[in-house]
């Protein structure tokens, strides 16, 4: 599934023109990105939460050559699925 | 940012009612949940991809009692951050992020 499938579904279910559904989805994605880039979490109940995490620098290894390489400190995005989402992928939700 | 705050911002930015904005957010998240529940994956360019990861069964331990417990195999939703999103979050101090 790609963004287009989601846009089609938004258009179908809301009656909005596809162009507007596209703008809406793009705006949601931009809001998530902008919020995380300020290191603020995005918490969507039933779905899950996006949060940034600071990673310390560490020494890694190139798996091909075995050579050691310094991996610099960085900020990464972590998504934690909500209970409903986790249950859904394990087919534990009634209908 | 909560769903309600996101709905307010979305409504304001694209000039729709807050209730409709909330409906759209729900369609977005439900589409992803349903795709993964049927074993599909979701790829959103510039944002990232959602897929299901299989966790093998294992013998765990109750951290309180030390008792052995069997943890059955299960599936977990996994989000892999897209390149653009990763760079926006990591390089925010270098002037790369948009307001």
């Amino acid at each position: 599934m790609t963004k287009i499938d989601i846009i089609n579904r938004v258009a179908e279910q809301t009656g909005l023109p596809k162009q507007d559904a596209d703008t809406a989805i793009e705006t949601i994605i931009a809001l998530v990105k902008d919020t995380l880039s300020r290191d603020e979490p995005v918490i969507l109940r039933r779905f899950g939460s996006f949060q940034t995490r600071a990673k310390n620098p560490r020494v890694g290894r190139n798996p091909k050559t075995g050579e050691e390489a310094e991996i610099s400190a960085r900020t990464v995005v972590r998504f934690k699925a909500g209970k409903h989402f986790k249950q859904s992928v394990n087919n534990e939700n009634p209908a | 940012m909560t769903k309600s705050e996101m709905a307010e911002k979305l409504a304001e930015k694209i000039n729709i009612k807050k209730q409709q904005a909330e409906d759209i957010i729900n369609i977005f998240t439900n589409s992803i949940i349903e795709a993964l529940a049927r074993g599909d994956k979701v790829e959103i360019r510039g944002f990232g991809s959602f897929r299901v990861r299989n966790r093998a069964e294992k013998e765990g331990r109750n951290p309180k009692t030390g008792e052995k417990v069997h943890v059955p195999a299960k599936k977990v939703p996994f989000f892999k951050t897209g390149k653009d999103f990763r760079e926006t979050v990591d390089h925010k101090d270098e002037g790369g992020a948009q307001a």
Side-chain angles (χ1 to χ4, degrees), chain B residues 19-32:
Chain B
Q19 181 57 54
Q20 184 162 45
E22 200 156 331
D23 290 344
I24 295 170
I25 295 165
N26 286 333
I27 297 168
F28 176 69
T29 55
N30 285 338
S31 300
I32 296 168

Side-chain angles (χ1 to χ4, degrees), chain A residues 1 33 37 41 43 75 90, chain B residues 1 41 46 75 84 90 92:
Chain A
M1 187 163 89
K33 283 186 179 181
S37 72
I43 301 157
T75 303
N90 286 288
Chain B
M1 177 182 272
K41 59 179 189 289
K75 293 171 177 171
D84 185 66
D90 195 33
K92 56 184 176 288

